[in-house]
Amino acid sequence: MILCLSIAIYLPIYFRLVGDRSRFFLLLKKSHPLFAAAAVASFFISALSFAWLGYCLLIGVYGALRFFERGGFYLEESLIDFSMIYLPIGGIWFTVYQHEWNLFGFTGMLALLTAIHFHYSSLFGLLFSGLLGRWLKDNHGIPRVYKAAMLIFILSPLAVAIGITYSRAIEIAAVLLFAAALYTYCLYSFKTKKVSVMLSSVALLFTMLLSALYALRLVDIPFMVYFHWLVNALLFTGFGLVGYSQLKPESHFPLAAIPFSAIAGQGRIGTDFFSRNAFVANTATHPAGMVDSMADFARSDFSPGKISPRIADFYINTIGYDMDVQPRWRRFFYPVARLYKKLSIVMEQMNFPILEEEFHTEIDSQMVKLVDRKDSRENVRAWVRSDKRTRKAIYVAAYSTHVNAVGERFYNVFFPLPFGGMTSVLRISHYGEEGVTLTSFSEEKRADHNGVYLTLWQKCFRIPINETIDVWTEDGCIKAYHASYLFGVRVLELDYIIRPKQTAITSRKSM
């Protein structure tokens, strides 16, 4: 009965609270009644339990795809992802129970309790923690303590199951960590001041005590069935669903709001990519810079008038400047970088300097207007950077900008790659007195679109790559520092010296 309550009644509310709108998710919602009916009927015809297992597997697949779509960013959404990812384990134990099988020494009531665990504690516990994370981000920001506890929470359901199966020591440690994470959730849930949410948390504190007593073997299974799971199912889950349905916290992940380029690369990109594929606009006047006006980026915490006129001119008249670049690869990544170079030099895209003879690379720039209709973004222009010595492309990118729901403007830079491309969405801010910094790092506010996104076969994902670019003036020229990160670890640093072309030519003639 307890398990049927989760399967037939609570899961549709779960779907509504997640609030996704993808076709896969909507299909899961619409097909739920059919599979829920099969699950209930499996108590009479055990073979129908395989239908529910298949449905749980589909939910798990969707959770994994949802996780990879964000590249692991946005912890509150990852909690919801793992609530789905763990559900197939519950489906397996449900099937084991219905067929009276023995799996890892579990059968009968033990198999049923394990199925209930993954249909309640992990499914709704992780859901509520993610929804509370959404609410905290809207109101106070997510505290570091909450983030750390929720990372533990993500791993705990599986750790508890492993401990029950293989080691009592692991089981006790996992249950205690699980309890600590849930206690942290309860503590922060009281900030909502929503009665239903607070009652749910009070019930959860009671069930945590019972879990600890069971782990210490101070209570037996019949006691757990009648008290722990009833309180968990009716009070913790029931009140929690009511409370969060009232709060209605929405996802902060802005993927659907970001305009992505419709262009897709082929095998070789190269300096002639846009002209070769007829993306260049038929016009006598092509743009000279990455943007037409820095004033477009004005907001409450960013004043374009404070930028150095020289830096502002560089962004508006980019091809009027010469650039020299010097790379610094982190030693740990250097062997991988040398292998990557063999690919990038053939592909002629993101062809970063690596070899010793490239350590002082002079860059040639070309900029052309692209057909907006073919790109699908607005006011798009291509900036192609190549090595003056080898004539090989270094960067081939299509530049645009876009605004978010509150009117803040972002750089939107697309790099074509085979079968798709990569988009870097950058937020501009002040750097020092007159400089600027652009960064893809951010997940703090609903309106932030910052991030690096990969498009493959027209499907977009946020990937664990980030970049920051600091630009300032020094010694009569513009200097820039460009750092690239993988999983938050700095991989590559590029130091630029940027001079007006006439100055650069004069300087070279005098040498």
Side-chain angles (χ1 to χ4, degrees):
M1 180 63 186
I2 293 174
L3 198 53
C4 291
L5 182 64
S6 172
I7 291 172
I9 306 300
Y10 287 164
L11 201 57
I13 306 174
Y14 172 99
F15 287 137
R16 187 169 69 247
L17 288 171
V18 173
D20 287 358
R21 298 176 179 85
S22 70
R23 284 182 292 181
F24 191 171
F25 187 76
L26 293 176
L27 178 62
L28 290 173
K29 286 180 63 176
K30 290 179 180 179
S31 60
H32 169 262
L34 176 64
F35 288 100
V40 174
S42 70
F43 284 91
F44 306 98
I45 305 173
S46 59
L48 290 175
S49 63
F50 286 107
W52 181 250
L53 172 58
Y55 185 67
C56 290
L57 289 171
L58 288 175
I59 292 176
V61 169
Y62 178 76
L65 291 174
R66 192 175 185 274
F67 177 81
F68 288 115
E69 186 177 59
R70 294 183 332 281
F73 292 93
Y74 298 81
L75 176 62
E76 70 278 10
E77 298 302 321
S78 295
L79 288 160
I80 297 173
D81 298 337
F82 275 89
S83 73
M84 301 181 194
I85 291 170
Y86 282 137
L87 187 57
I89 302 176
I92 291 171
W93 286 108
F94 177 75
T95 305
V96 168
Y97 171 74
Q98 296 292 48
H99 288 82
E100 299 181 354
W101 293 336
N102 186 310
L103 183 63
F104 303 123
F106 283 65
T107 188
M109 184 59 68
L110 285 175
L112 178 61
L113 287 176
T114 307
I116 292 172
H117 170 76
F118 284 100
H119 280 81
Y120 277 98
S121 295
S122 67
L123 182 65
F124 293 103
L126 287 166
L127 171 69
F128 293 164
S129 299
L131 294 175
L132 179 60
R134 289 180 179 180
W135 184 89
L136 288 171
K137 185 173 282 188
D138 271 337
N139 291 272
H140 311 285
I142 302 179
R144 291 183 178 179
V145 172
Y146 189 81
K147 290 181 179 180
M150 293 307 103
L151 286 173
I152 294 172
F153 194 4
I154 286 174
L155 299 175
S156 293
L158 186 59
V160 170
I162 292 173
I164 291 173
T165 306
Y166 295 107
S167 168
R168 186 161 180 253
I170 294 175
E171 178 190 356
I172 292 173
V175 166
L176 291 176
L177 287 172
F178 188 41
L182 289 176
Y183 177 80
T184 304
Y185 160 79
C186 292
L187 182 67
Y188 282 99
S189 71
F190 285 98
K191 289 181 177 290
T192 65
K193 298 181 180 179
K194 183 66 66 176
V195 174
S196 297
V197 173
M198 292 189 288
L199 287 174
S200 170
S201 293
V202 170
L204 180 59
L205 290 171
F206 178 71
T207 62
M208 286 161 50
L209 174 63
L210 293 181
S211 294
L213 292 175
Y214 176 72
L216 295 172
R217 299 299 188 264
L218 297 178
V219 296
D220 57 14
I221 290 177
F223 182 89
M224 289 290 288
V225 170
Y226 286 108
F227 288 94
H228 175 75
W229 294 116
L230 283 174
V231 174
N232 205 356
L234 297 177
L235 302 183
F236 165 63
T237 307
F239 278 123
L241 290 172
V242 170
Y244 286 109
S245 294
Q246 293 170 339
L247 286 175
K248 298 178 181 178
E250 296 181 356
S251 173
H252 291 70
F253 185 52
L255 190 66
I258 300 174
F260 291 100
S261 174
I263 294 173
Q266 295 88 36
R268 172 184 167 272
I269 306 302
T271 57
D272 62 343
F273 172 79
F274 295 108
S275 59
R276 190 173 75 238
N277 291 282
F279 294 129
V280 178
N282 184 18
T283 177
T285 305
H286 290 277
M290 289 177 272
V291 295
D292 295 328
S293 173
M294 295 301 289
D296 294 339
F297 294 92
R299 59 178 190 269
S300 60
D301 61 344
F302 181 73
S303 176
K306 294 181 179 180
I307 301 173
S308 163
R310 188 174 298 172
I311 293 175
D313 184 69
F314 167 66
Y315 279 92
I316 297 169
N317 185 34
T318 309
I319 59 172
Y321 288 80
D322 271 339
M323 306 171 67
D324 298 340
V325 61
Q326 182 174 356
R328 294 197 309 275
W329 286 88
R330 292 288 171 160
R331 183 172 299 178
F332 178 80
F333 293 97
Y334 189 71
V336 178
R338 291 184 68 91
L339 292 174
Y340 169 77
K341 183 68 176 180
K342 296 181 183 295
L343 171 65
S344 68
I345 201 169
V346 174
M347 185 171 59
E348 288 193 62
Q349 175 62 299
M350 299 183 185
N351 187 23
F352 309 117
I354 293 178
L355 306 175
E356 290 184 3
E357 61 268 22
E358 301 175 308
F359 273 14
H360 291 279
T361 301
E362 293 185 344
I363 296 176
D364 192 23
S365 292
Q366 179 186 13
M367 193 163 290
V368 294
K369 179 75 178 75
L370 300 185
V371 180
D372 291 352
R373 175 178 50 81
K374 293 184 177 181
D375 181 280
S376 80
R377 296 174 297 164
E378 296 180 355
N379 198 16
V380 189
R381 70 281 312 274
W383 182 18
V384 178
R385 283 165 279 181
S386 58
D387 187 328
K388 284 187 176 181
R389 181 178 61 85
T390 65
R391 302 298 178 187
K392 290 278 189 179
I394 297 176
Y395 279 111
V396 179
Y399 280 68
S400 180
T401 65
H402 74 269
V403 295
N404 62 11
V406 296
E408 296 175 329
R409 187 169 294 274
F410 294 82
Y411 280 89
N412 187 311
V413 187
F414 172 74
F415 301 89
L417 295 170
F419 311 112
M422 189 175 79
T423 300
S424 184
V425 178
L426 305 169
R427 180 185 179 90
I428 188 169
S429 301
H430 289 293
Y431 179 75
E433 293 185 2
E434 295 185 318
V436 296
T437 183
L438 295 96
T439 183
S440 65
F441 280 109
S442 182
E443 55 169 311
E444 298 305 316
K445 299 188 301 182
R446 183 183 301 281
D448 279 352
H449 290 180
N450 316 34
V452 177
Y453 304 86
L454 181 67
T455 303
L456 287 176
W457 295 287
Q458 299 182 335
K459 179 66 175 176
C460 297
F461 304 86
R462 183 167 178 181
I463 55 178
I465 292 175
N466 276 295
E467 60 177 334
T468 59
I469 306 168
D470 301 328
V471 186
W472 70 96
T473 56
E474 183 181 326
D475 300 330
C477 62
I478 301 172
K479 292 189 176 180
Y481 168 77
H482 185 178
S484 298
Y485 300 81
L486 178 64
F487 293 105
V489 178
R490 192 176 303 164
V491 175
L492 171 65
E493 298 166 291
L494 298 171
D495 293 308
Y496 288 92
I497 297 177
I498 305 167
R499 304 182 183 89
K501 282 193 172 180
Q502 185 60 42
T503 302
I505 292 170
T506 303
S507 174
R508 285 194 294 271
K509 285 181 177 178
S510 63
M511 291 178 63

